[in-house]
Every structure is written in structure tokens, then in C-alpha cells.
Amino acid sequence: MSSENFEYKNAMDRLEAILERIDNSELGIDELSGQVQEATNLLKKCRQILVDTEKNVQEALASLEGEADA
């Protein structure tokens, strides 16, 4: 598993844990703010990983198309 896949999976696992605690009303008001901030940071990280992955896939496909045209 690549490090990006590992980071993405860990971030998603942590997000799921935070959301479950919020859904189950396990957080006090003081803890809620910190958990929401952590979730926001995790979402940003996941989004960036997805954007980077999409870019890499597009570049790979473009190089394949370039080879087919040659």
C-alpha cells in the first residue's frame, strides 16, 4: 500500500470515528470544537490526496494517448 493510500485510509478511519462520536452524542461541548477542527483538517488532507491522485491518473492517461498517436 502506498503512503498516500495509507494516509488516506487512516484519515478516513479517524473521520469515521469522530463522526460516530458526534452522532452518538459522546462529545461534550468543549471537546466538540476540537473534534470538528480535526475533522476539517482531515477532510482537507483527503481532498488534496484525491486531487493529486486524479492529476496523476490524468497524466498517465495522457501519456498513453500520446504513445498511441505516435
Side-chain angles (χ1 to χ4, degrees):
M1 180 182 292
S2 75
S3 65
E4 261 191 354
N5 285 341
F6 184 73
E7 284 183 57
Y8 185 84
K9 180 173 178 0
N10 284 343
M12 289 302 295
D13 289 346
R14 180 66 183 141
L15 271 169
E16 287 177 21
I18 291 170
L19 292 174
E20 186 174 320
R21 290 188 70 204
I22 290 170
D23 284 344
N24 293 332
S25 301
E26 295 177 11
L27 299 174
I29 193 73
D30 295 329
E31 195 178 13
L32 180 61
S33 176
Q35 294 291 287
V36 168
Q37 185 61 45
E38 181 181 356
T40 301
N41 291 335
L42 289 166
L43 285 169
K44 288 178 185 177
K45 178 184 226 176
C46 288
R47 181 182 302 152
Q48 189 58 53
I49 290 170
L50 291 173
V51 166
D52 292 345
T53 300
E54 180 181 19
K55 179 182 170 194
N56 291 339
V57 168
Q58 293 297 330
E59 288 172 357
L61 292 174
S63 72
L64 285 175
E65 288 175 7
E67 289 176 8
D69 293 338

